[in-house]
């Protein structure tokens, strides 16, 4: 088990010519309702040269995930997409009883914060910038859809496990969808209609060019900085959820952003920056998955964004989408 003392000793051994100026524990990145922390452990630290870094620890079983994330970072850097430089990786367990990798720390203001501070014109400019970013991300393709391989990031980890079918069964039929039905947030009629819609359109959804997508494109994982009078994207987090899949699923996260409200002008600004034709019917079908997942806590939103509005209005939102597919 990692702790702060062990982390500090590791940092000292890796940067013997520098002194530690500050250390901050982010902790584990996922918190279950039982208050037990799970996932990978993250620490930020600053050295006396004022360079700031992020170190991510995991168990040996996490090696494939870590290697896939490092592969994503390398793909991003190669394609001029915001990503931190990799400083150190270690999968040996020689220095500490964990695997880890270290990257430079990137600054930025979260989209959730920026959105509250922005006027209409600035919101449109921010969404136009998002469009340009996803134009670049969605220009990167692979042969198959699936989880990124740790050995070769342009390959998939489990050939034959298709994300569309997997998410349909894991989330809509059995996971968040079933939970929403059982807890009374989704009517039986709407639950069955969502399932029927996905079943009838499964071949249509699976008919896509496998593309790099960021399935954690949330208002708390996208950060901005300002240069002169223009906002630019400085950082993307949640890189463990980057995979090869349908880019339209990614677009649904942008048009129907969990825990953030946009208007039609914002979406039009995004499309102007995106500069690709968008299948709005597909966007709406994927949005059924996103609305249900967000309402039932699948995305592990930060506490400051949590509210009951999404749950309480789930039936209405789902009905609206179904009526417009």
């Amino acid at each position: 088990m990692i702790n702060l003392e062990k982390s500090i000793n590791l940092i000292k051994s890796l940067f013997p010519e520098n002194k530690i100026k500050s250390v901050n524990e982010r902790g584990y990145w996922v918190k279950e309702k039982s208050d037990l922390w799970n996932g990978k452990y993250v620490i930020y630290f600053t050295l006396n040269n004022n360079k700031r870094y992020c170190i991510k620890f995991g168990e040996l079983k996490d090696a494939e995930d870590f290697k896939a994330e490092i592969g994503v970072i390398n793909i991003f850097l190669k394609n001029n997409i915001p990503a931190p430089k990799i400083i150190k990786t270690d999968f040996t367990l020689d220095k500490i009883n964990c695997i880890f990798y270290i990257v430079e720390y990137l600054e930025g203001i979260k989209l959730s914060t920026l959105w509250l501070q922005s006027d209409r014109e600035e919101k449109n400019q921010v969404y136009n910038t998002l469009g340009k970013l996803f134009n670049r991300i969605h220009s990167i393709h692979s042969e198959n859809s699936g989880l990124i391989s740790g050995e070769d990031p342009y390959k998939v980890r489990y050939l034959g496990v298709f994300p569309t079918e997997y998410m349909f069964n894991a989330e809509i039929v059995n996971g968040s969808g079933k939970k929403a039905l059982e807890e009374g947030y989704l009517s039986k009629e709407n639950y069955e209609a969502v399932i029927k819609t996905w079943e009838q359109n499964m071949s249509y959804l699976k008919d896509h060019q496998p593309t790099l997508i960021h399935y954690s494109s949330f208002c708390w994982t996208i950060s901005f900085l300002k240069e002169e009078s223009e906002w630019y994207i400085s950082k993307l987090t949640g890189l463990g959820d980057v995979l090869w899949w349908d880019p339209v699923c990614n677009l649904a996260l942008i048009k129907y952003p969990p825990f953030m409200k946009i208007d039609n002008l914002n979406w039009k600004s995004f499309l102007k920056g995106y500069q690709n034709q968008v299948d709005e019917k597909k966007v709406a079908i994927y949005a059924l998955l996103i609305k249900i997942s967000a309402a039932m806590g699948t995305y592990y939103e930060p506490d400051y964004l949590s509210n009951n509005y999404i749950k309480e209005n789930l039936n209405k939102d789902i009905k609206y989408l179904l009526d417009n597919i």
Side-chain angles (χ1 to χ4, degrees):
M1 188 70 178
I2 193 67
N3 60 39
L4 187 58
E5 183 181 356
K6 289 181 181 179
S7 303
I8 291 173
N9 289 335
L10 174 67
I11 295 166
K12 287 178 178 178
S13 72
L14 295 173
F15 299 89
E17 297 180 359
N18 296 98
K19 292 183 178 180
I20 299 173
K21 188 174 181 180
S22 65
V23 178
N24 302 101
E25 288 182 283
R26 159 78 183 275
Y28 293 97
W29 69 273
V30 169
K31 187 178 182 182
E32 298 287 359
K33 290 182 171 57
S34 62
D35 286 331
L36 294 174
W37 288 92
N38 298 281
K40 287 72 173 180
Y41 196 74
V42 177
I43 283 179
Y44 304 122
F45 64 95
T46 306
L47 300 178
N48 60 336
N49 57 7
N50 289 322
K51 290 185 178 180
R52 196 176 182 193
Y53 302 97
C54 171
I55 181 167
K56 187 171 183 179
F57 297 98
E59 299 176 0
L60 197 55
K61 65 180 177 62
D62 301 316
E64 184 82 358
D65 292 339
F66 274 30
K67 289 176 181 178
E69 289 175 30
I70 291 166
V72 168
I73 290 172
N74 286 326
I75 291 175
F76 276 13
L77 291 173
K78 182 180 177 182
N79 289 275
N80 195 31
I81 297 164
K85 291 180 182 177
I86 300 166
I87 306 302
K88 174 76 175 175
T89 65
D90 195 309
F91 297 88
T92 65
L93 305 182
D94 290 344
K95 297 184 181 298
I96 197 168
N97 63 334
C98 296
I99 63 172
F100 64 89
Y101 69 85
I102 301 175
V103 295
E104 65 176 355
Y105 179 82
L106 300 180
E107 302 288 345
I109 300 171
K110 287 181 172 62
L111 176 57
S112 54
T113 301
L114 180 58
W115 206 248
L116 292 174
Q117 300 172 351
S118 301
D119 58 23
R120 174 174 288 229
E121 183 178 345
E122 204 164 34
K123 283 181 168 68
N124 287 332
Q125 192 257 308
V126 165
Y127 246 60
N128 182 263
T129 300
L130 275 176
K132 293 175 182 176
L133 172 75
F134 282 99
N135 174 283
R136 295 204 301 276
I137 294 176
H138 293 168
S139 70
I140 306 167
H141 304 299
S142 180
E143 294 181 0
N144 299 286
S145 285
L147 294 179
I148 288 175
S149 167
E151 299 304 316
D152 181 350
Y154 287 93
K155 303 292 184 182
V156 300
R157 198 175 307 180
Y158 307 110
L159 194 61
V161 179
F162 209 86
T164 315
E165 293 173 337
Y166 179 86
M167 293 302 289
F168 171 64
N169 289 302
E171 279 300 318
I172 293 177
V173 177
N174 297 305
S176 297
K178 185 178 180 181
K179 184 179 178 183
L181 172 67
E182 291 172 345
E183 295 186 8
Y185 294 106
L186 190 61
S187 69
K188 189 171 187 293
E189 179 185 4
N190 282 340
Y191 173 69
E192 291 176 349
V194 171
I195 291 175
K196 184 179 180 181
T197 299
W198 268 65
E199 287 176 338
Q200 290 177 338
N201 290 282
M202 186 60 69
S203 296
Y204 166 57
L205 294 175
K206 290 173 67 175
D207 183 17
H208 62 260
Q209 166 72 62
T211 298
L212 199 68
I213 79 159
H214 188 345
Y215 192 60
S216 283
S217 298
F218 306 130
C219 59
W220 63 93
T221 64
I222 304 171
S223 295
F224 290 75
L225 286 175
K226 201 169 195 178
E227 186 172 309
E228 296 180 352
S229 60
E230 296 291 319
W231 288 101
Y232 68 93
I233 295 163
S234 62
K235 177 168 64 174
L236 297 173
T237 58
L239 299 186
D241 290 327
V242 174
L243 71 155
W244 301 109
W245 196 11
D246 187 346
V248 183
C249 182
N250 216 161
L251 297 177
L253 282 163
I254 304 300
K255 184 173 183 179
Y256 300 95
F259 311 99
M260 194 181 93
K261 188 172 180 59
I262 72 164
D263 61 29
N264 195 46
L265 284 177
N266 303 145
W267 176 240
K268 286 182 177 180
S269 295
F270 174 88
L271 294 178
K272 188 175 180 181
Y274 189 61
Q275 293 186 333
N276 289 313
Q277 189 172 357
V278 174
D279 186 337
E280 293 284 356
K281 178 182 174 181
K282 253 193 182 186
V283 170
I285 295 173
Y286 281 121
L288 295 170
L289 166 67
I290 289 163
K291 289 285 187 181
I292 293 170
S293 298
M296 304 314 294
T298 300
Y299 298 136
Y300 294 102
E301 74 279 1
D303 289 342
Y304 65 85
L305 288 171
S306 295
N307 61 72
N308 289 324
Y309 175 86
I310 297 176
K311 268 187 180 180
E312 292 167 356
N313 287 272
L314 181 60
N315 255 322
K316 182 179 72 174
D317 289 347
I318 292 298
K319 183 67 166 59
Y320 173 81
L321 288 169
L322 288 168
D323 289 343
N324 286 275
I325 290 173

